[in-house]
């Protein structure tokens, strides 16, 4: 059995249940414990599951650091950025969520657009995109230092005073079992409000988010939302009923 086939089986198992043991996987795939352990380590480094003692779980309680996420699947995030930027003209108003994929889009916007009106809760994104703006608003609130972004009720209240043409929204994970998830209620609520306050929200999910389940389930996406991915969704996720009304675009 090829490594890619084993990885697909492992990810399928952790998407169907809270946790799966190494013993169960060795029986299921007919391989050694060492092979399964190495497969789990590989998938954990790719942020596709969480390695735990004796097995793996797809439910994550904490997101990797912004530095680690920026280096994970950088090519896929760059493709998403290129696709999204082609949809946004000079002078557009944009609400931008914090995160590594939205940062990739912000960098590309700064290189190719001008006269933008930007609303964001991310200090790094604000600094990155500033040269391309004619108006820049940073949502106030408590700064989460690990993300260098504002979060909390004050941030959400500040956000709801504004409306933008485009929204760039990240997610913590995208799975068959839970669809879109995040790691905190604050983050999930903030992202939902951003989608509600933009005319055309783009929900950005590169392949490193496939099969990942955060501990907070996000509210259903607005019908106007477009989901942008860097490669085709796994069939189990693509078949999810709640995705049916939404446009899914593969950046290439």
């Amino acid at each position: 059995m090829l490594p890619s086939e084993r990885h697909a089986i492992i990810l399928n198992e952790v998407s169907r249940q809270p946790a799966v043991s190494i013993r169960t996987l060795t029986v299921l795939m007919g391989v050694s414990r060492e092979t399964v352990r190495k497969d789990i380590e590989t998938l954990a480094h790719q942020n596709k599951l969480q390695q735990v003692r004796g097995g793996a779980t797809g439910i994550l309680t904490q997101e990797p650091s912004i530095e680690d996420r920026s280096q994970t699947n950088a090519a896929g995030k760059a493709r998403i950025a290129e696709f999204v930027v082609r949809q946004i003209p000079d002078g557009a108003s944009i609400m931008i969520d914090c995160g590594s994929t939205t940062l990739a889009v912000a960098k590309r916007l700064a290189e190719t657009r001008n006269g933008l009106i930007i609303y964001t809760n991310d200090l790094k994104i604000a600094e990155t995109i500033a040269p391309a703006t004619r108006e820049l608003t940073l949502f106030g609130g408590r700064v989460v230092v690990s993300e260098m972004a504002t979060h909390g009720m004050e941030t959400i209240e500040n956000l709801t005073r504004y409306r933008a043409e485009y929204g760039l929204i990240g997610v913590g994970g995208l799975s068959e079992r839970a669809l879109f998830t995040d790691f905190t209620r604050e983050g999930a609520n903030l992202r939902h409000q951003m989608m509600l306050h933009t005319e055309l929200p783009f929900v950005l999910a590169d392949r490193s988010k496939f099969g990942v389940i955060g501990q907070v389930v996000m509210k259903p996406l607005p019908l106007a939302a477009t989901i942008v991915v860097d490669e085709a969704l796994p069939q189990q996720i693509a078949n999810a009923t709640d995705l049916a009304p939404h446009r899914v675009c593969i950046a290439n």
Side-chain angles (χ1 to χ4, degrees), residues 177-196:
R177 182 151 52 96
L179 285 185
F180 295 96
T181 55
D182 211 330
F183 298 92
T184 66
R185 290 185 63 184
E186 287 182 344
N189 288 338
L190 181 70
R191 285 169 165 166
H192 185 69
Q193 288 299 321
M194 281 189 172
M195 286 186 271
L196 294 181

Side-chain angles (χ1 to χ4, degrees), residues 84-104:
V84 171
V85 167
R86 290 200 300 268
Q87 320 304 313
I88 299 176
D90 289 339
S93 60
I94 315 169
M95 201 170 286
I96 309 180
D97 178 28
C98 64
S100 56
T101 308
T102 50
L103 177 59

Side-chain angles (χ1 to χ4, degrees), residues 93-96 119 159 162-169 191-202 222 224-225:
S93 60
I94 315 169
M95 201 170 286
I96 309 180
Y119 307 94
L159 179 161
Y162 301 96
R163 193 162 189 90
E165 296 169 284
Y166 300 92
L168 307 178
I169 292 93
R191 285 169 165 166
H192 185 69
Q193 288 299 321
M194 281 189 172
M195 286 186 271
L196 294 181
H197 284 79
T198 53
E199 298 299 317
L200 181 56
F202 290 104

Side-chain angles (χ1 to χ4, degrees), residues 238-249:
N239 290 341
T241 304
D242 288 350
L243 282 183
H246 299 286
R247 180 185 178 209
V248 178
C249 295

